[in-house]
Amino acid sequence: ALFNWLYARHTGGTFLLRIEDTDRERSRDEYTQALLESLAWTGIVPDEPIVVQSERFPLYQQIAADLLASGKAYRCYCSPAELRERLGENAASDEGYVRYDRRCRTAPVHEGVPYAIRFAVPLDRETVVVDDQIRGMVSFPVSEIDDFIIVRSDGTPIYNFVVVVDDAAMGITDIIRAEEHLNNTPRQILLYEACGYQVPRFAHLALILGSDGSKLSKRHGATAVVDYRRDGYLADALCVYLARLGWAHGDQEIFTRDELIQAFSLEGVNK
């Protein structure tokens, strides 16, 4: 959020905030409130009303229907039990990396039968290239990209699909996010193209890691932003510290907020 806000301020752009809560099990109101409280304290506030994905389901349903009608997506009638039996245990889980065998790609419509919606990955190209503003050109073989689900059989849309629809609806031009999303990017690029949307510019930031090299978590002593406020830290001090953790401007260590905005650029971000 800090790097997006600094980039928007430096370039004269607009900083937007979106609550991505389509995963009902992982989305709780207390998480959202803690996030908003943290951003308000640090002065990183959006320039337009906050977009909440769970309030936009009719839009996602319409775009999914358009993709089905154009043949860029298809109904998949395979149940999790069928996928496990045919392709192995991982095939039925979100974390599984077993590629779907495209059995339903040419299947006729079965009225009254529950179905998920899968994106039909184009078979006439070899790679998807991400032009990353921090990492340079990153190429992904299309042969390694699944015909991934965009809407579950219960009607709830998947993250990779809804963020693409929202980016277009919100007029997003630049996305600065964690490197763990880099592997999602080729799928999203294929969806931008299939929907006829402009592909935004991407920049993937290195993660803040614990002393053992794994993602920072509570077991490393990671602290909630609001706890720093409670302990008497200044918001500007925390923002300068975080900015300097992944970005440099010569040897300068201390910045006012205006100096941060003036100096910030993606060229100074370490990959």
Side-chain angles (χ1 to χ4, degrees), residues 40-223:
W41 175 56
T42 52
I44 302 173
V45 293
D47 299 313
E48 295 181 5
I50 297 170
V51 169
V52 181
Q53 286 183 333
S54 57
E55 300 173 356
R56 298 161 67 84
F57 274 37
L59 173 62
Y60 309 140
Q61 292 167 340
Q62 179 58 57
I63 302 302
D66 292 344
L67 289 172
L68 279 174
S70 65
K72 296 174 180 176
Y74 59 92
R75 296 171 176 81
C76 178
Y77 302 99
C78 300
S79 68
E82 286 179 70
L83 292 172
R84 276 193 291 268
E85 182 177 349
R86 196 165 75 240
L87 303 175
E89 194 65 32
N90 283 340
S93 72
D94 288 340
E95 287 74 29
Y97 294 102
V98 178
R99 282 196 295 278
Y100 179 62
D101 57 7
R102 300 192 174 105
R103 173 171 292 192
C104 290
R105 189 158 176 158
T106 56
V109 173
H110 302 297
E111 296 294 346
V113 179
Y115 61 86
I117 299 177
R118 289 185 183 270
F119 178 68
V121 173
L123 303 179
D124 58 352
R125 62 189 291 174
E126 295 183 358
T127 60
V128 178
V129 178
V130 179
D131 184 4
D132 193 279
Q133 296 186 79
I134 295 172
R135 297 166 188 280
M137 297 292 185
V138 186
S139 181
F140 294 85
V142 171
S143 61
E144 295 182 6
I145 301 176
D146 201 359
D147 275 8
F148 52 93
I149 290 174
I150 59 173
V151 180
R152 300 180 183 92
S153 57
D154 65 0
T156 57
I158 295 290
Y159 166 81
N160 274 327
F161 171 55
V162 294
V163 295
V164 166
V165 175
D166 285 337
D167 288 343
M170 296 168 69
I172 299 295
T173 58
D174 295 79
I175 297 171
I176 304 171
R177 59 187 181 185
E179 65 181 348
E180 60 191 346
H181 285 289
L182 183 58
N183 285 335
N184 287 324
T185 308
R187 293 171 176 80
Q188 292 167 8
I189 288 176
L190 290 174
L191 281 168
Y192 290 119
E193 294 174 349
C195 294
Y197 299 152
Q198 181 72 34
V199 179
R201 290 181 291 269
F202 292 97
H204 288 89
L205 304 167
L207 296 172
I208 301 173
L209 304 178
S211 55
D212 60 357
S214 62
K215 187 176 178 180
L216 191 67
S217 67
K218 288 183 178 179
R219 65 188 175 87
H220 298 110
T223 305

